[in-house]
Amino acid sequence: MDIINDIELTEYFSLREFECPCCRRVMLSPDLFARLNHLRMVINRPIYINSGYRCKEENHKVGGVSGSYHLQGMAVDIHVKDFLLYDLLLYAHEIDFNGIGYYEKRNFLHLDIRPGPKRVWKGSKLIGY
Ligand SMILES: [Zn+2]
Ligand SMILES: [Zn+2]
Protein backbone atom coordinates (compact mmCIF):
# COMPACT_ATOMS: atom_id res chain seq x y z
CA MET A 1 0.00 0.00 0.00
CA ASP A 2 1.09 3.54 -0.68
CA ILE A 3 2.20 5.53 2.32
CA ILE A 4 1.39 9.21 2.21
CA ASN A 5 4.42 11.44 1.59
CA ASP A 6 6.54 8.42 0.74
CA ILE A 7 8.29 10.29 -2.05
CA GLU A 8 12.00 10.45 -2.67
CA LEU A 9 12.80 14.11 -3.25
CA THR A 10 16.48 13.55 -3.92
CA GLU A 11 18.78 10.61 -3.33
CA TYR A 12 19.25 11.97 0.18
CA PHE A 13 15.80 12.87 1.44
CA SER A 14 12.21 11.65 1.37
CA LEU A 15 9.25 13.99 1.90
CA ARG A 16 8.19 11.85 4.87
CA GLU A 17 11.19 13.01 6.85
CA PHE A 18 9.78 16.53 6.86
CA GLU A 19 6.17 15.81 7.80
CA CYS A 20 4.53 16.77 11.08
CA PRO A 21 4.66 13.76 13.40
CA CYS A 22 1.14 14.32 14.76
CA CYS A 23 -0.89 14.82 11.57
CA ARG A 24 1.53 14.00 8.72
CA ARG A 25 0.85 17.29 7.03
CA VAL A 26 3.89 18.83 5.44
CA MET A 27 5.14 22.12 4.05
CA LEU A 28 8.66 22.38 2.69
CA SER A 29 10.32 25.48 1.28
CA PRO A 30 12.29 24.72 -1.92
CA ASP A 31 14.91 27.21 -0.80
CA LEU A 32 15.37 25.50 2.58
CA PHE A 33 15.49 22.13 0.87
CA ALA A 34 18.12 23.26 -1.67
CA ARG A 35 20.36 24.49 1.13
CA LEU A 36 19.89 21.30 3.07
CA ASN A 37 20.91 19.22 0.04
CA HIS A 38 23.90 21.46 -0.42
CA LEU A 39 24.89 20.85 3.21
CA ARG A 40 24.37 17.11 2.73
CA MET A 41 26.70 17.10 -0.28
CA VAL A 42 29.37 19.19 1.39
CA ILE A 43 29.59 17.06 4.56
CA ASN A 44 29.02 13.81 2.66
CA ARG A 45 27.20 12.15 5.56
CA PRO A 46 23.57 11.32 6.26
CA ILE A 47 21.58 14.15 7.82
CA TYR A 48 18.79 13.14 10.20
CA ILE A 49 15.76 15.39 10.45
CA ASN A 50 14.63 15.65 14.08
CA SER A 51 11.89 18.09 13.22
CA GLY A 52 10.70 19.55 9.92
CA TYR A 53 7.22 20.94 9.40
CA ARG A 54 5.07 21.39 12.52
CA CYS A 55 1.39 22.18 12.70
CA LYS A 56 0.35 24.60 15.46
CA GLU A 57 -0.60 21.82 17.87
CA GLU A 58 2.70 20.02 17.42
CA ASN A 59 4.69 23.24 17.74
CA HIS A 60 2.89 23.99 20.99
CA LYS A 61 3.48 20.46 22.24
CA VAL A 62 7.24 20.62 21.70
CA GLY A 63 7.48 24.10 23.19
CA GLY A 64 8.32 25.91 19.94
CA VAL A 65 8.00 29.70 19.81
CA SER A 66 4.71 30.95 18.36
CA GLY A 67 6.32 32.48 15.24
CA SER A 68 8.47 29.41 14.60
CA TYR A 69 9.64 28.93 11.03
CA HIS A 70 8.80 25.24 11.45
CA LEU A 71 5.15 26.32 11.04
CA GLN A 72 5.92 27.61 7.54
CA GLY A 73 8.12 24.78 6.29
CA MET A 74 11.10 27.10 6.50
CA ALA A 75 13.04 25.37 9.31
CA VAL A 76 14.54 22.01 10.18
CA ASP A 77 16.26 20.59 13.23
CA ILE A 78 19.02 18.20 12.23
CA HIS A 79 21.75 15.99 13.59
CA VAL A 80 24.60 14.08 12.00
CA LYS A 81 26.13 11.00 13.60
CA ASP A 82 29.80 11.07 14.57
CA PHE A 83 30.22 14.63 13.44
CA LEU A 84 31.19 17.55 15.63
CA LEU A 85 28.18 19.82 16.08
CA TYR A 86 30.38 22.88 15.94
CA ASP A 87 31.80 21.82 12.55
CA LEU A 88 28.26 21.35 11.31
CA LEU A 89 27.52 24.87 12.48
CA LEU A 90 30.44 26.24 10.46
CA TYR A 91 29.27 24.48 7.29
CA ALA A 92 25.70 25.66 7.84
CA HIS A 93 27.02 29.17 8.31
CA GLU A 94 28.85 29.04 4.97
CA ILE A 95 25.79 27.74 3.16
CA ASP A 96 23.93 30.76 4.45
CA PHE A 97 21.10 29.46 6.52
CA ASN A 98 19.78 32.68 7.93
CA GLY A 99 18.84 31.39 11.35
CA ILE A 100 21.04 28.86 13.11
CA GLY A 101 20.38 27.52 16.60
CA TYR A 102 23.12 25.55 18.28
CA TYR A 103 21.85 23.02 20.84
CA GLU A 104 24.94 21.36 22.17
CA LYS A 105 23.43 19.28 24.99
CA ARG A 106 20.82 17.71 22.77
CA ASN A 107 23.26 17.57 19.83
CA PHE A 108 21.23 19.23 17.11
CA LEU A 109 21.14 22.36 14.97
CA HIS A 110 18.07 24.36 14.12
CA LEU A 111 18.36 25.79 10.60
CA ASP A 112 15.98 28.22 8.95
CA ILE A 113 15.75 30.64 6.05
CA ARG A 114 14.12 33.60 7.78
CA PRO A 115 14.19 36.90 5.91
CA GLY A 116 16.37 39.73 7.15
CA PRO A 117 19.63 39.67 9.03
CA LYS A 118 21.35 36.47 9.98
CA ARG A 119 20.92 35.18 13.52
CA VAL A 120 23.02 32.54 15.28
CA TRP A 121 22.15 31.52 18.82
CA LYS A 122 23.22 29.04 21.44
CA GLY A 123 20.42 28.11 23.78
CA SER A 124 18.86 31.48 24.53
CA LYS A 125 22.05 33.46 23.88
CA LEU A 126 22.82 35.22 20.62
CA ILE A 127 26.35 34.29 19.56
CA GLY A 128 26.73 35.85 16.15
CA TYR A 129 25.19 37.22 13.00
ZN1 LIG B 1 0.55 18.02 13.24
ZN1 LIG C 1 13.96 24.21 15.11
Side-chain angles (χ1 to χ4, degrees):
M1 209 180 94
D2 278 359
I3 298 169
I4 199 76
N5 296 336
D6 195 7
I7 301 165
E8 299 298 320
L9 300 172
T10 58
E11 58 180 304
Y12 305 127
F13 297 104
S14 148
L15 187 59
R16 285 191 68 186
E17 297 173 75
F18 298 88
E19 68 187 20
C20 178
C22 81
C23 57
R24 314 198 73 178
R25 292 192 181 106
V26 64
M27 287 172 80
L28 178 58
S29 152
D31 188 8
L32 176 76
F33 187 62
R35 290 179 206 206
L36 195 62
N37 272 279
H38 186 183
L39 181 64
R40 170 63 181 80
M41 279 186 277
V42 170
I43 66 171
N44 197 27
R45 277 160 199 266
I47 291 177
Y48 298 90
I49 313 292
N50 300 6
S51 178
Y53 172 69
R54 294 175 195 159
C55 71
K56 263 188 173 171
E57 291 74 24
E58 176 66 14
N59 191 54
H60 185 74
K61 202 179 95 187
V62 300
V65 295
S66 61
S68 171
Y69 288 93
H70 287 279
L71 294 162
Q72 298 177 54
M74 290 167 66
V76 282
D77 296 344
I78 63 163
H79 76 277
V80 176
K81 280 182 187 159
D82 304 317
F83 201 83
L84 216 58
L85 193 64
Y86 192 74
D87 287 346
L88 194 60
L89 172 77
L90 296 179
Y91 284 112
H93 205 284
E94 262 174 46
I95 288 165
D96 240 9
F97 286 97
N98 226 16
I100 304 175
Y102 182 74
Y103 296 89
E104 200 170 21
K105 274 191 198 143
R106 291 192 285 153
N107 191 37
F108 76 91
L109 288 187
H110 164 101
L111 303 172
D112 69 53
I113 53 158
R114 68 187 60 208
K118 194 166 190 159
R119 233 178 129 79
V120 183
W121 66 93
K122 186 174 181 175
S124 56
K125 265 173 62 186
L126 209 57
I127 58 172
Y129 55 86

